[in-house]
Amino acid sequence: LRGRSFESQGEQPMILNENQGYIHYSKSTMIMNLLQDILGAETINLALSDFLSDTAFGGPPYPRSVDLVPYLRNVCPERYQYLITDLFERIVLYDNKTTEASAVLMDDGSYSVTIRADVRKLRVEDLGDEIEESLSDWIEIGVLGDDGDVLFLERRLIESNQVDLTVRVPDRPAEAGIDPL
């Protein structure tokens, strides 16, 4: 987000971005990694392969990000379609905070971990105004062990600003929270 503090014109969504290096290099990498993580490398590679076979070796006008988005939509399951919109066509920020995490040792040696978090989704307008939006987003919840090993990591559908959930893990937890990695 540091790059946007130097903007005189305002940040553009990925699909319209031009001459904003912190967007094409940094944000685009994060977007494609997130899509690969959620949809799988094979799915993303299929979209890119189809895009390439339809647009390779053509003359002007050359393909742009706006031309790629339909290929990503084609391979994206319905429950994740909002991601294509949020990642490419809008500027969206999350303000996620774990407010409490506790663990209780169970009789069988496992741990019951309770996580409470506050989640906000904000749409950023042209001049930087942030407008809170309702949630219906898949966000990772996780529990990590002493060595940073993942004891539990799962995307959950978050539809409320307050998250309160309990999970079981096999070993002693060291950290727990929303979007832990």
Side-chain angles (χ1 to χ4, degrees):
L1 295 175
R2 191 173 307 135
R4 51 199 331 239
S5 64
F6 299 104
E7 281 300 330
S8 60
Q9 305 283 325
E11 182 179 334
Q12 292 294 311
M14 181 61 68
I15 203 166
L16 302 175
N17 186 266
E18 225 178 273
N19 300 322
Q20 292 173 305
Y22 69 96
I23 301 288
H24 354 304
Y25 294 108
S26 302
K27 189 175 179 179
S28 63
T29 302
M30 290 173 51
I31 285 173
M32 294 307 288
N33 283 331
L34 176 65
L35 288 176
Q36 178 181 297
D37 184 44
I38 291 175
L39 303 178
E42 288 179 16
T43 302
I44 296 302
N45 287 339
L46 174 64
L48 293 174
S49 176
D50 289 347
F51 176 68
L52 184 60
S53 66
D54 288 350
T55 61
F57 308 112
Y62 297 107
R64 302 169 299 151
S65 56
V66 71
D67 302 312
L68 173 62
V69 169
Y71 290 85
L72 294 169
R73 281 200 188 282
N74 281 346
V75 299
C76 188
E78 184 61 36
R79 72 181 183 166
Y80 295 126
Q81 285 289 323
Y82 78 93
L83 275 175
I84 305 298
T85 302
D86 286 354
L87 295 173
F88 288 95
E89 299 170 354
R90 302 173 353 139
I91 301 168
V92 174
L93 301 173
Y94 291 89
D95 185 9
N96 299 340
K97 294 178 201 154
T98 302
T99 56
E100 185 180 335
S102 60
V104 176
L105 178 61
M106 306 307 286
D107 291 338
D108 65 358
S110 68
Y111 287 82
S112 175
V113 180
T114 299
I115 301 166
R116 290 191 174 91
D118 292 333
V119 181
R120 291 177 59 220
K121 180 178 180 176
L122 305 164
R123 182 184 74 234
V124 180
E125 294 292 307
D126 293 340
L127 299 176
D129 295 327
E130 296 176 354
I131 298 162
E132 190 159 353
E133 295 211 329
S134 60
L135 286 158
S136 185
D137 295 48
W138 292 87
I139 300 175
E140 276 186 336
I141 306 292
V143 179
L144 306 177
D146 285 325
D147 297 331
D149 52 322
V150 174
L151 302 177
F152 176 86
L153 188 63
E154 186 177 289
R155 288 194 188 279
R156 295 278 177 104
L157 181 61
I158 306 297
E159 297 183 289
S160 147
N161 293 102
Q162 279 75 47
V163 175
D164 190 0
L165 66 105
T166 301
V167 298
R168 282 295 250 310
V169 296
D171 296 318
R172 184 177 181 274
E175 294 180 53
I178 190 160
D179 200 14
L181 301 178

